[in-house]
Amino acid sequence: MRNALAALLRVRDAHKKVAERDFGAAERARIIQEEEVEGLHRAVISSHTGDELGYPGGDASWLAIEHSYRLRMQVRIRKEQQVLVQRAQDAAAQRERLIEADRERRVVEIALEQHDAEVALELRRADGRKLDALAGARWWRENAS
C-alpha cells in the first residue's frame, strides 16, 4: 500500500510542478500585457502635451492628426485591455488549477502519513504482544515450580 501511495504522491508532485509552471507563465503574460496597456495610456497622455507627435500643435491639420492618433490609440487600448482581461482570466484559472493540484497532493501526503502511522502503531502493538508473551512465559517458568 505504501508503494502505491508513494507512487501516487510522485505523480501528484509532478502535476503540481506543471501547474506551478503554467501559473507562472500565465502570470508573466498578464504582467507583460498590463505593462503594454499602461504604456499605451502613457502614450495617449503624453500626446496631449504634444510630445508624442513632435509638434506642439495649433492649426487644424495638426489637431486632426493628433485626434486621429489618439483615436487609433484608444482603439488599440481597448483591444489590448480585452487581451489583458483574457490573460487575467487565464492566470486565475491556472491559479485555481495550482490550488487544486496542491490540494490533491496534500490529500495523498496525508493518506501516506496516516498509513505510515498505522504501520508504526501495528509494529508497536506487535512488539507489545511479543513482550507480553515473553513476560508471560517467564512468569510461568518462575511460578511453575
Side-chain angles (χ1 to χ4, degrees):
M1 178 74 168
R2 185 181 198 311
N3 290 340
L5 286 173
L8 184 58
L9 184 61
R10 285 191 300 275
V11 168
R12 297 291 188 218
D13 281 339
H15 284 207
K16 182 180 175 188
K17 286 179 184 177
V18 168
E20 285 173 342
R21 185 193 67 220
D22 292 346
F23 172 65
E27 190 64 19
R28 281 189 297 278
R30 184 196 62 77
I31 290 169
I32 289 170
Q33 188 65 31
E34 196 171 72
E35 290 171 355
E36 175 72 19
V37 170
E38 289 174 8
L40 291 173
H41 279 293
R42 283 191 300 272
V44 169
I45 290 170
S46 70
S47 75
H48 286 285
T49 62
D51 296 340
E52 189 69 27
L53 299 176
Y55 180 75
D59 63 7
S61 64
W62 277 104
L63 289 175
I65 291 170
E66 288 176 354
H67 179 69
S68 173
Y69 171 77
R70 289 184 196 120
L71 185 61
R72 283 193 314 273
M73 292 300 284
Q74 289 296 333
V75 169
R76 188 169 168 207
I77 286 171
R78 286 196 179 127
K79 287 179 183 177
E80 295 297 328
Q81 283 177 331
Q82 289 172 349
V83 172
L84 176 60
V85 167
Q86 181 60 42
R87 290 197 176 156
Q89 290 171 347
D90 291 345
Q94 292 298 333
R95 180 181 299 115
E96 290 300 319
R97 185 172 158 225
L98 174 60
I99 290 169
E100 185 62 28
D102 186 50
R103 188 176 298 132
E104 289 174 355
R105 183 198 173 283
R106 185 67 185 136
V107 166
V108 173
E109 186 178 39
I110 289 170
L112 186 59
E113 288 171 358
Q114 287 176 345
H115 178 268
D116 289 346
E118 289 172 7
V119 167
L121 178 64
E122 187 55 41
L123 286 174
R124 284 194 306 273
R125 286 179 180 165
D127 286 344
R129 286 191 293 272
K130 278 184 189 178
L131 289 175
D132 287 346
L134 288 173
R138 182 177 176 194
W139 185 84
W140 280 108
R141 275 194 311 263
E142 290 174 358
N143 292 323
S145 21

